[in-house]
Amino acid sequence: MEASASSSLLLVNLVLLMIAVGPPLSAAAAAVSDVRPPPETSNLTCHPTDLLALNGFRNCIELTIGNWGAPDSGCCSWSGVTCGYPGGGDGVQVRVLGLDLSGRRLKGRLCDPLAYLDRLVLLNLSGNQLGGALLPRIFRMQSLEVLDLSRNQFSGYFPVVTDMPAIRVLDVSYNLLVGQVTMTICNSSSKLVSLNMAGNAFHGEFPPNIGNCGSLQNLSLQENYLSGYLPESLFMLRNLRYLLLRGNSISGTLSNGVGNLSSLVELDISRNFFWGELPDCFASTPKLEHFFAGSNRFSGSLPYSLENSRSIKMLVLNNNTFEGGVNINCSAMPHLAVLNLGSNSLKGEIPGNLSSCRKLQSLNLSRNNISGTIPLGFRQLQELSALFLSTTRVHDLHSALQTLQHCKSLSVMILSLSFRNEQMPGEGSFLFQNLSAFAIGNSQLTGTLPVWLSGSRNLRLLDLSWNRLNGDIPQWIGDFKLIFYLALANNSFSGDIPEGLTRLPSFIDHKVSSLGPVSSIPLLLGNGNGRFLQYNQYWNLPTTLELSYNKLVGPIWPSFGNLKSLQDLFLEHNHLSGELPDSLGGMTSLEKLRLSHNELSGKIPISLSRLTFLSALDLSYNKLSGMIPTGGQFSTFRDSCFEGNDGLWGEPLLKPCRVPLKTHSPSEDHDPQTKSSDEDFMILATMAVAGGAYGFIVTVGYCFASGWATKT
Ligand SMILES: *[C@@H]1O[C@H](CO)[C@@H](O)[C@H](O)[C@H]1NC(C)=O
Ligand SMILES: *[C@@H]1O[C@H](CO)[C@@H](O)[C@H](O)[C@H]1NC(C)=O
Ligand SMILES: *[C@@H]1O[C@H](CO)[C@@H](O)[C@H](O)[C@H]1NC(C)=O
Ligand SMILES: *[C@@H]1O[C@H](CO)[C@@H](O)[C@H](O)[C@H]1NC(C)=O
Ligand SMILES: *[C@@H]1O[C@H](CO)[C@@H](O)[C@H](O)[C@H]1NC(C)=O
Ligand SMILES: *[C@@H]1O[C@H](CO)[C@@H](O)[C@H](O)[C@H]1NC(C)=O
Ligand SMILES: *[C@@H]1O[C@H](CO)[C@@H](O)[C@H](O)[C@H]1NC(C)=O
Ligand SMILES: *[C@@H]1O[C@H](CO)[C@@H](O)[C@H](O)[C@H]1NC(C)=O
Ligand SMILES: *[C@@H]1O[C@H](CO)[C@@H](O)[C@H](O)[C@H]1NC(C)=O
Ligand SMILES: *[C@@H]1O[C@H](CO)[C@@H](O)[C@H](O)[C@H]1NC(C)=O
Ligand SMILES: *[C@@H]1O[C@H](CO)[C@@H](O)[C@H](O)[C@H]1NC(C)=O
Ligand SMILES: *[C@@H]1O[C@H](CO)[C@@H](O)[C@H](O)[C@H]1NC(C)=O
């Protein structure tokens, strides 16, 4: 049991590893090890009461459970059942002490016989498809220490618990429970250490009698509909280590009482309606490592005790209205790894002091009235892997690059809508070896596509759109082995489309870019506390080549047909000429193709009608002729997709040029509002800390910080 519990925490730890939460502490394992271990579990005889109970429970479950009911075996060898001698003086008979049927896809309901297991210490039914009401009898089991019913479909109210003296860990998270949260459970139990009711539909005020739960270390009520203020009694819980309340509708100011929670390790109140200034009480929370308060309505300046906290590793206060300067005192904050102050009203220069935060891995100052240049001292930030500085008044790109190239871990650099009207530094031999995502869009940069970028061999995403860059698109752009998102739209690039672009491995075979980091992301999504669940839609940004609104000439190479994994190809508003190669029918993943406003001639190849994923096509305003193909997706395109081609004919249909795609894609409308909440960014930052998941970082970073995102 110990082994399985800790391996299941491994996923969480993948994320938290770098921020050193410490070894996973399995309450369940701890609870059971309090009991004398059985001499030899497999041949213990089953107590008749327990056998009756288990058989009764078995009848309420729709499927057979493992080897249950095998006639020649006592229940102690049934899978998921643990027998032993109950603790306390009278432990002479072997009884069922543990029942762990987690993650077995069980369907059915809880039923009374289960509660006849009157010596049960641990009941874990997490991660099944059990439904119906929570059985009140279970909440009267006298020996039960650990009860985990999370991740099922239990519905209705949470029972009024008055007689559960042994309970230490109670988890009903991610079910369909409703009603108010009443905290009577602590009247009868003084041992409750962990209470998790996250991810349900509880509403009403925060339970006022929480103060009874003096032993509580973990309290999670996140992702519910709680409202009202936090009761002062909450701040009497001096043992509280994790207080997770994100995603509710709690309002009011944050009380100074937080300072009484001297054991706090993590405080997450993001996405609520808190307002006012943060209390200056963080000197009294010497263990606080993670403070998340993004997307509230906090204002005023950051409190001194927060800017000088010895323990903080992650500080995420984005999307509030904090004002004043950034006075983070890095000499006092040796552990700071993630600082996200994006979308506030902070002003002043980027503080040079940040250079002393040697552990800093992710810094977000985007969307603030921050000015000045990147401090020279930033070259010392050897762990910095993600820098978000879009929509600021920061300037001097040349010196910024000169400084930042010394940050050897730098992987994500999002600078769009800053450094405006400058020259893209072309000379100089900057080297960003570990750069994976680089976006500086919508900054009106002049100059050419800089040759130093060719040294960034790991680049997966490059967005330089909406600038005034000119010259050719160099051939070396075909050497980026991993690039899957290339946006150079709305510049003044001229010359041919480099043929090398049709040899980019990740446009040919999606596995290239999704190997490694990206493929590890789904693991992060399943970590069990729901925190990452909502982000899965971003990590598979479509493979994209976007060269629209430039001055490109020449043909569309037949070798484009090799790009079997390219999903979006945007070449509209150039001066491309020649015929559409028949080979384009080989782009079997293509979903969107925009070629309008060019000088393309000849026929529309029939092969295009075989592109079964093609949902958006625009061939208008070219010199195409002949018949519009009729089969396949072509029956869904409206005639405006073809207009402005004098020689084209076919059956016009009244269908939209673009068929909205449900399954896809953040880049479709370039509208940041519909795509995200600021929490995404926080998680992103988390991943930056965990390292490795760069594909994901890339993706989200792009969506919200690039020129495109801010175009509307
Ligand atoms: C409290 O939560 C933390 C972090 O999620 C976890 O590591 C720890 O095991 C939990 N403690 C208990 C007693 O459940
Ligand atoms: C219940 O089982 C699941 C899956 O094995 C595990 O993740 C969880 O930690 C267990 N619950 C407790 C309280 O030990
Ligand atoms: C259980 O089986 C082992 C051998 O496998 C034996 O030594 C032991 O005595 C048995 N215990 C009981 C209670 O039957
Ligand atoms: C629980 O205790 C509080 C005071 O500690 C009391 O007001 C409340 O009535 C009790 N609730 C129950 C159900 O016993
Ligand atoms: C915090 O602790 C102090 C001293 O122990 C106490 O007077 C105060 O009432 C507590 N505040 C809250 C909100 O519990
Ligand atoms: C900046 O860092 C120095 C040490 O390098 C420290 O003495 C000073 O107090 C810091 N200033 C601020 C405003 O944090
Ligand atoms: C910054 O922190 C250092 C070390 O804790 C301290 O000596 C210094 O006074 C602080 N600076 C300011 C401006 O508070
Ligand atoms: C940003 O700061 C400058 C001076 O530091 C000020 O002139 C300007 O009005 C500020 N802009 C906003 C939007 O607050
Ligand atoms: C650069 O990235 C590689 C893997 O992509 C990694 O092994 C290496 O440690 C990184 N270098 C630095 C200085 O972070
Ligand atoms: C191109 O970018 C400029 C800003 O640089 C913007 O004003 C213009 O609308 C953009 N044009 C298109 C077609 O996107
Ligand atoms: C920012 O916070 C406000 C509430 O203050 C919220 O409505 C909005 O959705 C948040 N924005 C993002 C992008 O999360
Ligand atoms: C940084 O902050 C900006 C503004 O709030 C946001 O758009 C961006 O997504 C953030 N990035 C990360 C990684 O948090």
Side-chain angles (χ1 to χ4, degrees):
M1 177 154 311
E2 183 133 25
S4 87
S6 42
S7 76
S8 69
L9 282 169
L10 194 67
L11 298 181
V12 186
N13 264 37
L14 277 180
V15 183
L16 299 180
L17 202 63
M18 302 288 287
I19 42 182
V21 160
L25 196 185
S26 165
V32 168
S33 64
D34 285 352
V35 185
R36 244 190 294 161
E40 173 61 58
T41 311
S42 59
N43 58 355
L44 292 174
T45 44
C46 186
H47 193 278
T49 309
D50 294 337
L51 186 61
L52 201 66
L54 290 173
N55 274 324
F57 172 62
R58 185 155 65 103
N59 290 334
C60 306
I61 303 297
E62 288 171 20
L63 302 166
T64 41
I65 310 170
N67 62 347
W68 280 37
D72 54 335
S73 66
C75 69
C76 291
S77 61
W78 291 3
S79 62
V81 175
T82 311
C83 293
Y85 295 105
D90 60 342
V92 286
Q93 281 179 308
V94 168
R95 298 298 303 270
V96 170
L97 302 182
L99 181 57
D100 182 349
L101 295 173
S102 56
R104 291 181 187 241
R105 307 206 175 113
L106 301 181
K107 286 187 181 153
R109 328 186 133 236
L110 300 181
C111 57
D112 279 355
L114 192 55
Y116 303 158
L117 294 168
D118 55 7
R119 293 306 192 134
L120 200 64
V121 174
L122 176 142
L123 176 59
N124 190 346
L125 299 174
S126 163
N128 285 294
Q129 290 152 37
L130 301 168
L134 290 179
L135 191 68
R137 265 173 184 274
I138 290 185
F139 294 85
R140 293 201 286 271
M141 292 172 78
Q142 301 291 304
S143 306
L144 207 55
E145 297 180 15
V146 177
L147 175 58
D148 188 345
L149 302 175
S150 61
R151 302 191 175 277
N152 279 287
Q153 280 130 38
F154 293 117
S155 55
Y157 295 97
F158 184 78
V160 176
V161 186
T162 52
D163 190 14
M164 224 183 172
I167 195 74
R168 292 157 32 105
V169 175
L170 178 58
D171 189 345
V172 294
S173 59
Y174 299 97
N175 279 290
L176 307 168
L177 301 172
V178 297
Q180 304 215 0
V181 177
T182 54
M183 207 52 78
T184 51
I185 188 165
C186 298
N187 283 29
S188 65
S189 171
S190 56
K191 297 181 186 148
L192 192 66
V193 173
S194 176
L195 178 64
N196 190 348
M197 305 179 90
N200 283 288
F202 292 118
H203 70 268
E205 301 242 328
F206 196 91
N209 48 357
I210 189 78
N212 291 347
C213 302
S215 345
L216 214 50
Q217 292 179 13
N218 286 14
L219 175 62
S220 175
L221 291 166
Q222 65 190 13
E223 313 295 350
N224 279 292
Y225 301 101
L226 300 180
S227 54
Y229 299 155
L230 291 181
E232 281 299 300
S233 60
L234 178 63
F235 304 109
M236 290 157 56
L237 303 178
R238 286 163 195 278
N239 293 310
L240 212 51
R241 293 163 50 92
Y242 295 84
L243 178 57
L244 310 180
L245 304 175
R246 68 178 249 134
N248 281 285
S249 304
I250 303 169
S251 56
T253 57
L254 190 63
S255 156
N256 232 332
V258 169
N260 282 14
L261 304 178
S262 54
S263 309
L264 265 192
V265 174
E266 177 168 333
L267 175 60
D268 187 349
I269 54 170
S270 30
R271 294 179 65 186
N272 278 288
F273 298 113
F274 288 99
W275 47 269
E277 299 196 12
L278 285 177
D280 193 3
C281 64
F282 295 92
S284 323
T285 53
K287 296 177 179 161
L288 189 64
E289 295 178 358
H290 306 156
F291 180 37
F292 303 133
S295 293
N296 280 287
R297 291 161 186 176
F298 286 116
S299 56
S301 51
L302 303 182
Y304 181 85
S305 57
L306 200 52
E307 293 184 319
N308 287 267
S309 160
R310 289 228 144 259
S311 54
I312 292 263
K313 294 176 177 170
M314 297 177 77
L315 182 58
V316 178
L317 303 175
N318 61 319
N319 196 20
N320 283 287
T321 48
F322 288 112
E323 56 202 20
V326 179
N327 299 315
I328 300 285
N329 181 0
C330 285
S331 339
M333 303 189 77
H335 301 295
L336 190 65
V338 171
L339 178 62
N340 186 347
L341 301 175
S343 291
N344 278 292
S345 307
L346 298 166
K347 60 173 199 286
E349 308 215 333
I350 302 178
N353 219 290
L354 283 177
S355 317
S356 330
C357 282
R358 297 295 168 82
K359 291 271 160 62
L360 200 61
Q361 297 185 27
S362 174
L363 173 64
N364 193 342
L365 297 174
S366 294
R367 287 182 196 254
N368 280 292
N369 196 2
I370 299 276
S371 54
T373 58
I374 306 261
L376 268 180
F378 267 38
R379 62 179 61 211
Q380 294 159 1
L381 296 176
Q382 290 301 306
E383 299 194 15
L384 189 68
S385 78
L387 176 66
F388 302 88
L389 269 183
S390 60
T391 325
T392 65
R393 296 191 300 125
V394 175
H395 62 92
D396 199 348
L397 185 56
H398 192 275
S399 82
L401 295 172
Q402 210 151 37
T403 300
L404 292 171
Q405 65 172 332
H406 296 280
C407 306
K408 292 295 179 206
S409 309
L410 199 58
S411 169
V412 176
M413 197 157 54
I414 307 294
L415 309 176
S416 300
L417 275 161
S418 294
F419 302 98
R420 275 174 251 201
N421 296 308
E422 295 189 20
Q423 167 108 18
M424 170 68 88
E427 320 87 58
S429 47
F430 308 119
L431 185 56
F432 289 88
Q433 222 157 3
N434 266 16
L435 199 60
S436 167
F438 181 46
I440 176 161
N442 211 341
S443 297
Q444 265 62 265
L445 297 181
T446 55
T448 58
L449 198 68
V451 68
W452 52 264
L453 255 185
S454 64
S456 303
R457 293 307 179 99
N458 293 320
L459 212 55
R460 290 161 183 271
L461 178 150
L462 177 63
D463 180 1
L464 299 175
S465 41
W466 285 53
N467 284 301
R468 291 183 281 156
L469 302 177
N470 58 27
D472 287 354
I473 300 177
Q475 285 294 339
W476 51 255
I477 202 127
D479 296 337
F480 291 122
K481 295 273 182 291
L482 298 173
I483 208 156
F484 75 98
Y485 199 107
L486 177 60
L488 302 176
N490 197 358
N491 280 287
S492 297
F493 290 117
S494 53
D496 290 352
I497 298 176
E499 217 174 340
L501 283 178
T502 66
R503 290 191 291 269
L504 285 173
S506 51
F507 286 170
I508 294 173
D509 182 358
H510 194 53
K511 288 197 198 91
V512 174
S513 59
S514 62
L515 266 182
V518 176
S519 64
S520 67
I521 286 156
L523 290 180
L524 296 167
L525 300 176
N527 83 353
N529 68 6
R531 182 175 283 181
F532 298 98
L533 286 176
Q534 51 192 304
Y535 309 108
N536 59 353
Q537 54 184 309
Y538 299 119
W539 68 264
N540 66 348
L541 199 71
T543 45
T544 298
L545 175 60
E546 177 155 4
L547 305 176
S548 2
Y549 292 95
N550 277 295
K551 298 174 176 164
L552 299 172
V553 297
I556 293 180
W557 305 110
S559 46
F560 266 102
N562 298 335
L563 304 184
K564 290 192 171 30
S565 76
L566 191 65
Q567 288 165 293
D568 293 354
L569 176 60
F570 301 140
L571 302 174
E572 75 271 24
H573 287 271
N574 278 294
H575 306 293
L576 302 174
S577 56
E579 303 203 349
L580 286 178
D582 195 42
S583 58
L584 291 188
M587 303 177 75
T588 46
S589 303
L590 202 62
E591 295 175 7
K592 300 190 191 106
L593 176 62
R594 296 208 299 253
L595 302 174
S596 67
H597 296 274
N598 277 294
E599 287 144 37
L600 300 166
S601 56
K603 291 183 177 165
I604 301 176
I606 305 280
S607 64
L608 286 185
S609 67
R610 292 199 300 265
L611 296 175
T612 45
F613 294 112
L614 194 63
S615 62
L617 175 75
D618 193 352
L619 300 176
S620 60
Y621 299 96
N622 277 292
K623 297 173 177 163
L624 298 168
S625 57
M627 196 183 101
I628 299 172
T630 49
Q633 291 297 93
F634 274 76
S635 58
T636 64
F637 300 129
R638 200 208 280 214
D639 55 354
S640 63
C641 311
F642 307 104
E643 73 189 6
N645 289 284
D646 290 343
L648 272 185
W649 54 275
E651 292 171 41
L653 292 159
L654 281 176
K655 296 272 171 52
C657 245
R658 308 199 296 182
V659 179
L661 254 195
K662 284 209 181 66
T663 55
H664 233 61
S665 106
S667 68
E668 168 73 60
D669 292 310
H670 307 312
D671 176 8
Q673 297 321 115
T674 63
K675 289 186 295 202
S676 82
S677 73
D678 252 40
E679 292 342 291
D680 300 346
F681 318 143
M682 177 190 93
I683 297 312
L684 195 55
T686 316
M687 295 205 180
V689 168
Y694 291 141
F696 184 80
I697 290 169
V698 164
T699 299
V700 182
Y702 169 77
C703 294
F704 307 108
S706 77
W708 285 125
T710 43
K711 196 158 56 173
T712 41

